Amino acid sequence: MTRLGRIRVDYKPRDEYYTPSWIFEKLALQFDLDPAHPNIKTNVPVSRYFTKSDDGLNKDWFGRVWMNPPFSESKYWVHKFMAHRNGIALLPFAKSAWMVEIWDDCDGIVPLPYNVRFDYEGKTNGSIFLPTALFAYGIDNLEAIRRIGRVR
C-alpha cells in the first residue's frame, strides 16, 4: 500500500509482471529511474529505482523514467508519468479515463504483440488478458519505441 496525497493504493498479488528483456534490447536506452521497481533482480537498464517500500508515487522523479507499474492501480502512476513528461511506460489498454488522457497527450504509442510474455516468478510465461503498449514522452524515447514497431 502507498499514499499519494489522500489516495491509498493497494497492490494486488498478481501485479508483479516484469518486462521481457527483448523490449530493453530493442529500445537500446539507459534509464535514470524506475519508480515502480519490484526490488528483485530484473533486466531493467536503470541507474536508480524506487520499490514499494520507497513509495515511488510520493517521491520526486528525475531524468528518463522507465515505468511498468502495478496494472491494478495504473491511473495514479499514469498521472504522475504524464506530469513528468520524460520516459517510456508499459501499460495495459484499459477502458478508463486515464487511458484516454495518455492516448491524447503522449508523444507516441507502440502496441506490443498480442502474445507478449512477461517474466513472472522467474519464468518467461506470464501473460495478462489485456493488450499492452509502450507510451513515450520525449524525442529520444519516441525514437526508441520506433525500434519496437509502428508509432501512433
Side-chain angles (χ1 to χ4, degrees), residues 40-75:
I40 64 166
K41 183 169 175 40
T42 65
N43 51 23
V44 181
V46 66
S47 301
R48 187 157 174 222
Y49 57 84
F50 299 142
T51 65
K52 287 181 200 178
S53 62
D54 295 320
D55 194 7
L57 279 174
N58 290 308
K59 296 276 191 193
D60 290 331
W61 292 5
F62 53 87
R64 182 193 329 265
V65 167
W66 166 258
M67 188 180 78
N68 178 356
F71 289 173
S72 66
E73 295 290 345
S74 296
K75 67 182 172 183

Side-chain angles (χ1 to χ4, degrees), residues 92-144:
F93 282 100
K95 185 177 177 183
S96 63
W98 66 258
M99 174 55 95
V100 174
E101 292 168 9
I102 196 166
W103 181 274
D104 289 340
D105 189 61
C106 71
D107 294 332
I109 302 164
V110 169
L112 293 173
Y114 75 93
N115 61 350
V116 68
R117 299 286 184 221
F118 292 86
D119 292 344
Y120 179 74
E121 294 182 344
K123 302 173 189 154
T124 305
N125 66 355
S127 63
I128 65 169
F129 68 95
L130 295 170
T132 54
L134 298 177
F135 294 77
Y137 284 98
I139 298 298
D140 292 343
N141 302 316
L142 178 61
E143 291 305 313

